[in-house]
Amino acid sequence: MTFIRGMKYELNLKQGFVQENFTKRGKMGCGFDSCIIFFLALFLLQCSVTSSREINKGHLHIMKYDQTSKEKIDPKDPQLQVFFTINDLKIGKKMPIYFPIKDPLSVPPLLSKEKADSIPFSSSQIPHLLEFFSFQENSPQAKAMKSTLKHCEFPAMKGERKFCATSLESLIDSIREILGLNTELKVVTTKHLTKMTSSILQNYTILENPKEIWAPRIIGCHTLPYPYAVYYCHSQVSDNKLFKILLIGENGARIEAAAMCHMDTSQWNRDHAAFLVLKTEPGKSSVCHFFPADNLVWVPSSSGSI
């Protein structure tokens, strides 16, 4: 992939990246691929994720899959209060959960595959990328970008398939490569049923029996901090369970949350944040976690509740 020296994109939605990305599809009509990408674009425009100039820590529980990380983890960090075990899935169960809420106007731009492919996405190109995005070497943005690249380049665990997608087209292509080229897809997300204006850690209570969505294979995609939209997606060949859970917070907020339970954690890094929060070890317990609203969970469209 060639880096074009001096070329800079003003990474702003006002430049019409999304509109440009779908102009040709709109003229040709809406086939399955173009429709699902179009609706995903609309979904992302409504989600609250990180802006290009205000990259934050991202989802800490995801970044801690990186076994080379030397960062100290604070189990009491609000952003890590997303973990539980499958034994917690019962009506009336109360648990502290953090659902991030951010300014929807700070959504990073959705690049077309052509634009994304023209920008290097590699740790070996860090000097070029810092110049490209006008980031200082030790700035928070530079550190977050380096962490994302390192995370995307870390080898998959045994039985895991993973990738980082830098455009919606590459996301769909990679999802289908795993689930099957002719597989029709369904996306499961967390939905805020009442408006929330700020992120708070509070107790949520399970209102109904959780609904399990059975699928032969599940792919979870998480947003990572970067100047434009990047998804880290992974799928394990092991016993994973996907749930939709209706919750109510202490402040009355109602959320239909997507949650994943990993039943086999024996291959996980011992320093994974989940083990510190749940006070357990690899292989000793299931690890479940809620998905923020800007994450995507992919299953075949034939998947249903059981």
Side-chain angles (χ1 to χ4, degrees):
M1 182 159 47
T2 303
F3 178 80
I4 304 176
R5 178 172 294 275
M7 183 178 72
K8 293 180 181 292
Y9 296 126
E10 192 64 34
L11 295 181
N12 190 304
L13 287 175
K14 293 180 182 178
Q15 297 297 319
F17 285 141
V18 176
Q19 180 179 355
E20 177 187 355
N21 201 16
F22 300 112
T23 299
K24 294 182 180 179
R25 289 185 174 83
K27 293 179 179 179
M28 294 186 295
C30 186
F32 176 76
D33 283 342
S34 57
C35 280
I36 196 168
I37 293 177
F38 175 75
F39 287 118
L40 271 177
L42 294 181
F43 165 79
L44 289 173
L45 284 172
Q46 298 176 45
C47 287
S48 303
V49 288
T50 311
S51 72
S52 62
R53 296 293 174 183
E54 298 177 355
I55 299 177
N56 64 9
K57 290 185 289 186
H59 301 303
L60 292 179
H61 61 289
I62 300 304
M63 301 305 286
K64 292 308 170 185
Y65 275 107
D66 184 350
Q67 299 182 29
T68 65
S69 175
K70 301 299 182 183
E71 298 177 28
K72 291 184 178 180
I73 303 172
D74 179 3
K76 296 182 180 180
D77 189 315
Q79 293 190 59
L80 296 179
Q81 306 311 307
V82 296
F83 297 108
F84 60 98
T85 71
I86 198 166
N87 295 329
D88 294 319
L89 291 181
K90 59 187 77 171
I91 295 179
K93 176 66 179 181
K94 183 181 294 186
M95 63 184 94
I97 311 171
Y98 180 85
F99 287 103
I101 302 293
K102 298 172 187 173
D103 182 4
L105 296 179
S106 67
V107 175
L110 301 167
L111 301 188
S112 68
K113 188 175 188 302
E114 180 181 6
K115 282 189 170 68
D117 287 350
S118 72
I119 305 172
F121 191 77
S122 169
S123 295
S124 65
Q125 297 293 324
I126 287 292
H128 294 305
L129 290 169
L130 293 178
E131 178 185 355
F132 185 86
F133 293 114
S134 300
F135 291 157
Q136 296 298 315
E137 171 67 30
N138 295 316
S139 66
Q141 296 94 336
K143 291 178 180 178
M145 185 174 67
K146 292 175 185 178
S147 182
T148 288
L149 290 170
K150 183 178 179 182
H151 185 66
C152 288
E153 293 166 356
F154 196 80
M157 297 185 297
K158 182 179 179 181
E160 179 189 42
R161 294 188 66 177
K162 54 169 285 195
F163 64 89
C164 283
T166 57
S167 69
L168 288 178
E169 294 95 329
S170 65
L171 175 64
I172 298 298
D173 289 345
S174 298
I175 292 293
R176 282 192 151 172
E177 183 179 339
I178 294 174
L179 294 183
L181 296 179
N182 297 319
T183 300
E184 293 191 1
L185 306 174
K186 178 167 69 175
V187 180
V188 180
T189 62
T190 288
K191 300 175 184 177
H192 290 265
L193 304 180
T194 53
K195 186 176 181 179
M196 294 178 63
T197 58
S198 61
S199 305
I200 60 172
L201 174 63
Q202 64 174 324
N203 285 323
Y204 285 85
T205 302
I206 298 178
L207 292 177
E208 299 177 354
N209 282 322
K211 298 178 181 178
E212 183 177 355
I213 300 173
W214 183 89
R217 188 151 191 167
I218 304 166
I219 302 176
C221 292
H222 315 274
T223 55
L224 292 184
Y226 210 70
Y228 53 85
V230 171
Y231 274 95
Y232 163 74
C233 303
H234 63 127
S235 177
Q236 289 178 274
V237 181
S238 60
D239 188 8
N240 297 316
K241 299 180 184 293
L242 177 63
F243 295 92
K244 292 287 280 188
I245 305 170
L246 184 60
L247 303 164
I248 186 168
E250 291 176 321
N251 66 353
R254 294 168 66 93
I255 296 178
E256 185 183 56
M260 178 94 79
C261 285
H262 303 274
M263 307 307 292
D264 180 7
T265 61
S266 59
Q267 298 296 318
W268 287 26
N269 176 13
R270 182 171 296 275
D271 294 327
H272 192 289
F275 299 134
L276 297 179
V277 174
L278 298 176
K279 297 180 180 179
T280 186
E281 298 177 1
K284 294 289 184 66
S285 169
S286 64
V287 168
C288 305
H289 62 85
F290 291 101
F291 288 92
D294 62 349
N295 283 203
L296 307 171
V297 187
W298 297 84
V299 294
S301 61
S302 57
S303 302
S305 300
I306 60 175

